[in-house]
Amino acid sequence: MAVGDSYAKKDFNIHFQSTDMTDLSLYRNIGIFAHVDAGKTTTTERILKLTGKIHKIGEVHDGAATTDFMDQEQERGITIQSAATTCTWNDHRLNIIDTPGHVDFTIEVYRSLKVLDGGVGVFCGSGGVEPQSETNWRYANDSEVSRIILVNKLDRLGADFYRVVKQIEDVLGANPLVMVLPIGTEDDFVGVVDLLTRKSWVWDNSGDPTKYTIEDVPADMVDLVEEWREKLIETAVEQDDDAMEKYLDGEEPSVETLKACIRKGTTDLAFFPTYCGSAFKNKGIQPVLNAVVDYLPSPTEVKPQPEVDLEGVETGEHAIVDIDKPLRALAFKIMDDRYGALTFIRIYSGKIDKGDTVLNSFTGKTERIGRLVEMHADERIELNSAQAGDIIAVVGMKNVKTGHTLCCPKNPATLEPMVFPDPVISIAVSPKDKAGSEKMGIAIGKMIAEDPSFRVETDEDSGETILKGMGELHLDIKVDILKRTHGIDVEVGKPQVAYRETITKKIEDSYTHKKQSGGSGQFGKIDYTLEPAEPGEGFVFASKVTGGNVPREFWPAIEKGFKNSMGVGVMAGFPCLDVKVTLYDGGFHAVDSSAVAFEIAAKAAYRQSIPKAGPQLIEPIMKVDVFTPDDHVGDVIGDLNRRRGMIQGQDSGVSGVRVKAQAPLSEMFGYIGDLRTMTSGRGQFSMEFSHYSPCPKNVAEDVIKEVKERQEKS
């Protein structure tokens, strides 16, 4: 079918609303992911236009893109929420999720990748492999998602397709399988040569994606095309022994055989078919869509999701993509829009009908499915049922959060639990008037349901509301949503770092809790060692008591007493990490000893012993990845050193230098402004949490002093 024909079909909505579409080989669940500003959202827009879903193209830089429908997205020109949308190409159904590129929102990327079968990694033709692309690529590798690559923005100054391909090999350690070559570069970029068919796709300058001609290979590119085509065939036939033998005997495989080999290699993550184009100029997008259909797996071709028990241990069962199996679905995103709460789910097995009752395996409660909808960015189409392989939204679910499994009440199971990192930065917010307080409570409740990496707590001393998140931008956006989406005027305190405390010495100690109050009293004696645990272990409890001096039934109470105390350290009240407690002896009373008595003993023991064990303040250290033009490298490194950063390495590329470092979060506030000033606006960076490390003495003293002053004020 010619592209023009598929584009001319306009009856998609009717096609979608029918619920008897069961051929899963025609489904593709894909995500589009990349670095900030590589052109993901623009690419999604072009795909929607080509597939007949939208008739007018919105531009990101005008703040009118279809999938960026939040005010905050339109203003900043970045995608914050993953928008899910559905369209059709060559009779295949594409469920597309446009993911954010900014580092503070990688949780969105991670969540989206969990439920996708394939992805399109977009790279900028001039910027190449940027810091965030690496993080996203790593996530996709962890989730074993098949991908194709689009090198975008080839119309830009300094764009170089071959350089980016080399970068993908060197920086990401990936194997890009080049499928097309660009015709012309920068302003002269007009189209691509398809290496399989040896045909050129040439677009005119009207910006209309359907206005192209299929021509022969330009005369000056014939040798180059043959060279790259040979590489392509050599890599592809490795996937099939018969094709390999024939090729070595001098017989060229047919295009069908090659396509089958490429499909197998893509699904097995042996290589990544690589395309190029300019989404903004509408050139080169059709071959990418054809590749999604030809090479990315359908829901039945990916490894089935393992089922786990409530502790997260695999049961050996899998959620098989089959409409007749019991229901298994994962809620991967909650969104509140103008119609109410939407829960996005991926159905792994079974089916859901409107009006069904399903079990949430996390809460143990059942929920009734009221309305099922298919999303097109922020519009929706009502459905009567959905089945394994679908990505849809359910309206009005009460207690379902991100990562919860919905399953059949008669045959329950849990899919892999989702683990989210702890926040590293917090700010205090308070509404300017009394009326705003209740509104703020409701708004924050909605925001927590939507974003599991966002936490909220109330400061007991001051009564302030503390917002916690993954970075400055993350919290900026949250405050912005409070102000604009919910209309709450709030005062914002300065950002606070999530410091922690630990111990540095091993000590032995003993504590006896005795209370006589007429009648039965309380008695519990514990002898224990307190020592530093391995970094990242958190709290570890062990018991070596023999001979029944402390009966086994009281051990959990002792563990609980210590564990609950760890929430407040002795230096400045920050939670205490990486402590190992070993119970080695003690004493009990046949009448007066109880679990409560031993729990109280453990709490008092904590307060007694921690100050003796060399308490220490530790701070979050961030992995920082900075891109800078060559002539500013010295300034950037000097500045990172001033921020107590440790330089870990630097790589020179064509367009500049990547500096990798580790630096304390407390020193990195406002870094983007300083970096832009140093590099005349060309610098970029990404930052993610790495580990906790001891604070220098002077920093620790300042932090403790500040905490004490805050407490006195309140």
Side-chain angles (χ1 to χ4, degrees):
M1 188 195 307
V3 175
D5 298 345
S6 83
Y7 182 68
K9 284 189 172 181
K10 294 285 193 290
D11 58 344
F12 295 126
N13 286 1
I14 307 152
H15 180 61
F16 283 151
Q17 282 160 316
S18 69
T19 52
D20 56 354
M21 191 176 165
T22 51
D23 187 356
L24 287 174
S25 65
L26 301 177
Y27 276 48
R28 297 290 180 272
N29 291 323
I30 61 166
I32 296 181
F33 57 93
H35 186 85
V36 176
D37 213 23
K40 295 179 302 301
T41 303
T42 308
T43 306
T44 309
E45 288 287 309
R46 302 311 187 251
I47 289 173
L48 297 179
K49 174 80 172 82
L50 270 170
T51 53
K53 265 293 195 179
I54 51 177
H55 303 302
K56 174 187 171 292
I57 289 183
E59 296 303 349
V60 175
H61 50 80
D62 297 337
T66 313
T67 48
D68 282 357
F69 51 84
M70 288 167 65
D71 293 342
Q72 293 76 2
E73 296 179 312
Q74 291 176 1
E75 257 181 41
R76 296 169 191 242
I78 60 174
T79 304
I80 297 163
Q81 290 184 310
S82 314
T85 186
T86 307
C87 54
T88 296
W89 183 254
N90 289 355
D91 295 331
H92 284 65
R93 167 181 174 138
L94 311 184
N95 291 321
I96 301 174
I97 294 184
D98 179 28
T99 62
H102 198 286
V103 68
D104 285 2
F105 307 106
T106 43
I107 205 80
E108 287 271 353
V109 179
Y110 186 68
R111 257 190 282 168
S112 306
L113 284 167
K114 289 276 291 178
V115 296
L116 297 173
D117 304 326
V120 180
V122 182
F123 296 92
C124 171
S126 58
V129 177
E130 291 162 294
Q132 191 56 32
S133 331
E134 257 187 273
T135 310
N136 288 345
W137 196 263
R138 197 170 66 242
Y139 280 162
N141 285 344
D142 292 348
S143 303
E144 297 183 350
V145 173
S146 306
R147 281 144 283 171
I148 52 180
I149 292 171
L150 167 64
V151 178
N152 191 22
K153 300 194 176 182
L154 282 193
D155 56 318
R156 274 218 173 157
L157 201 66
D160 182 340
F161 174 66
Y162 302 99
R163 187 185 77 237
V164 179
V165 168
K166 183 86 176 73
Q167 268 189 324
I168 292 169
E169 286 174 2
D170 296 348
V171 178
L172 301 177
N175 184 5
L177 183 70
V178 174
M179 302 292 294
V180 302
L181 295 183
I183 306 172
T185 57
E186 299 178 359
D187 284 349
D188 301 327
F189 174 68
V190 292
V192 298
V193 176
D194 182 335
L195 293 178
L196 278 183
T197 58
R198 295 190 178 91
K199 291 289 181 199
S200 304
W201 295 59
V202 180
W203 282 264
D204 65 13
N205 282 327
S206 65
D208 183 337
T210 57
K211 295 203 168 146
Y212 64 89
T213 49
I214 303 270
E215 302 169 10
D216 290 330
V217 175
D220 59 346
M221 285 182 71
V222 171
D223 292 348
L224 191 65
V225 166
E226 288 312 308
E227 179 194 330
W228 281 92
R229 190 169 190 270
E230 198 169 312
K231 282 189 198 171
L232 165 71
I233 296 173
E234 280 173 7
T235 309
V237 292
E238 284 174 8
Q239 300 296 318
D240 181 331
D241 293 345
D242 290 351
M244 178 90 145
E245 271 181 42
K246 286 178 181 167
Y247 179 64
L248 291 173
D249 291 343
E251 187 185 323
E252 184 170 297
S254 66
V255 170
E256 271 58 47
T257 306
L258 283 171
K259 278 190 168 176
C261 290
I262 296 167
R263 183 173 186 92
K264 182 175 179 302
T266 309
T267 308
D268 294 347
L269 305 184
F271 45 69
F272 305 94
T274 300
Y275 292 80
C276 62
S278 161
F280 183 56
K281 296 279 175 66
N282 264 315
K283 294 172 182 175
I285 301 301
Q286 287 98 325
V288 175
L289 278 170
N290 292 339
V292 166
V293 167
D294 289 342
Y295 306 128
L296 288 180
S298 70
T300 52
E301 292 170 305
V302 292
K303 278 188 195 163
Q305 259 318 84
E307 294 178 6
V308 296
D309 59 18
L310 291 173
E311 272 72 55
V313 180
E314 292 191 13
T315 58
E317 297 290 315
H318 287 81
I320 309 291
V321 181
D322 181 344
I323 197 160
D324 298 322
K325 295 275 184 203
L327 173 69
R328 305 283 184 261
L330 187 70
F332 68 97
K333 181 175 176 64
I334 312 281
M335 207 168 100
D336 210 72
D337 73 356
R338 55 182 184 266
Y339 306 104
L342 283 177
T343 307
F344 283 87
I345 59 170
R346 158 79 197 259
I347 306 174
Y348 286 100
S349 72
K351 67 186 211 59
I352 291 185
D353 292 317
K354 202 168 150 181
D356 277 359
T357 297
V358 299
L359 174 72
N360 178 343
S361 66
F362 185 82
T363 59
K365 295 192 171 112
T366 54
E367 297 245 4
R368 192 171 167 279
I369 303 286
R371 288 164 61 208
L372 295 172
V373 292
E374 182 178 275
M375 298 298 290
H376 167 56
D378 62 340
E379 293 175 290
R380 36 177 81 179
I381 298 161
E382 295 265 347
L383 299 172
N384 291 322
S385 72
Q387 61 176 47
D390 277 333
I391 292 181
I392 53 150
V394 183
V395 183
M397 295 193 105
K398 297 280 184 301
N399 299 310
V400 178
K401 292 196 164 54
T402 298
H404 288 181
T405 301
L406 302 176
C407 55
C408 167
K410 292 189 185 104
N411 188 335
T414 301
L415 298 166
E416 187 179 344
M418 289 185 159
V419 181
F420 297 106
D422 284 331
V424 290
I425 179 171
S426 60
I427 51 172
V429 293
S430 52
K432 286 189 177 167
D433 52 39
K434 284 273 186 322
S437 182
E438 197 172 314
K439 263 175 83 181
M440 186 167 93
I442 296 167
I444 284 175
K446 285 180 178 171
M447 284 155 67
I448 293 170
E450 287 175 16
D451 178 357
S453 62
F454 173 62
R455 315 265 170 90
V456 177
E457 54 190 54
T458 304
D459 187 309
E460 285 174 18
D461 302 323
S462 64
E464 290 176 313
T465 302
I466 313 286
L467 308 186
K468 298 184 164 189
M470 303 313 297
E472 264 186 296
L473 180 72
H474 191 196
L475 292 183
D476 264 1
I477 299 265
K478 296 298 179 204
V479 170
D480 206 37
I481 292 173
L482 277 179
K483 286 181 177 169
R484 284 207 298 209
T485 313
H486 300 284
I488 304 158
D489 208 4
V490 289
E491 284 177 353
V492 181
K494 69 178 194 119
Q496 300 293 329
V497 176
Y499 290 100
R500 294 287 180 265
E501 297 179 22
T502 189
I503 55 172
T504 53
K505 292 181 195 155
K506 179 176 180 176
I507 62 154
E508 282 191 17
D509 213 343
S510 173
Y511 188 84
T512 306
H513 171 67
K514 238 192 281 194
K515 194 173 175 196
Q516 293 304 133
S517 54
S520 70
Q522 288 181 350
F523 181 86
K525 176 175 186 285
I526 51 175
D527 298 340
Y528 54 91
T529 59
L530 215 60
E531 61 191 306
E534 290 295 314
E537 272 196 310
F539 170 69
V540 183
F541 179 80
S543 174
K544 291 183 181 167
V545 177
T546 51
N549 287 353
V550 179
R552 189 177 282 271
E553 68 258 30
F554 297 137
W555 295 359
I558 300 168
E559 179 176 1
K560 185 182 169 193
F562 276 111
K563 195 173 181 179
N564 289 352
S565 303
M566 292 288 161
V568 179
V570 295
M571 295 178 78
F574 294 110
C576 200
L577 291 184
D578 305 334
V579 175
K580 182 176 182 184
V581 175
T582 309
L583 181 71
Y584 66 86
D585 205 357
F588 81 109
H589 187 281
V591 178
D592 291 353
S593 286
S594 63
V596 169
F598 276 104
E599 189 179 331
I600 295 171
K603 285 181 173 169
Y606 169 85
R607 287 195 295 277
Q608 167 184 293
S609 301
I610 291 276
K612 303 179 202 170
Q616 186 174 47
L617 207 62
I618 49 178
E619 60 182 345
I621 304 292
M622 309 299 280
K623 250 194 320 206
V624 186
D625 192 339
V626 186
F627 169 81
T628 165
D630 288 326
D631 38 355
H632 299 291
V633 177
D635 298 342
V636 166
I637 288 177
D639 180 67
L640 283 168
N641 285 332
R642 275 194 297 283
R643 295 173 187 268
R644 298 195 282 124
M646 296 279 290
I647 309 296
Q648 305 230 288
Q650 52 188 78
D651 300 317
S652 297
V654 177
S655 51
V657 177
R658 298 259 314 267
V659 179
K660 293 194 172 193
Q662 288 192 338
L665 174 65
S666 57
E667 303 285 347
M668 296 301 289
F669 290 145
Y671 182 61
I672 187 67
D674 295 352
L675 179 66
R676 293 266 160 83
T677 311
M678 272 183 292
T679 58
S680 318
R682 288 164 62 205
Q684 283 185 334
F685 87 109
S686 79
M687 186 164 81
E688 59 183 321
F689 173 70
S690 169
H691 62 280
Y692 275 95
S693 173
C695 278
K697 197 161 174 239
N698 60 329
V699 174
E701 284 168 359
D702 289 349
V703 170
I704 293 167
K705 187 174 153 202
E706 197 181 313
V707 168
K708 289 203 166 122
E709 283 172 1
R710 260 209 319 270
Q711 285 168 347
E712 281 162 16
K713 276 184 195 163
S714 61

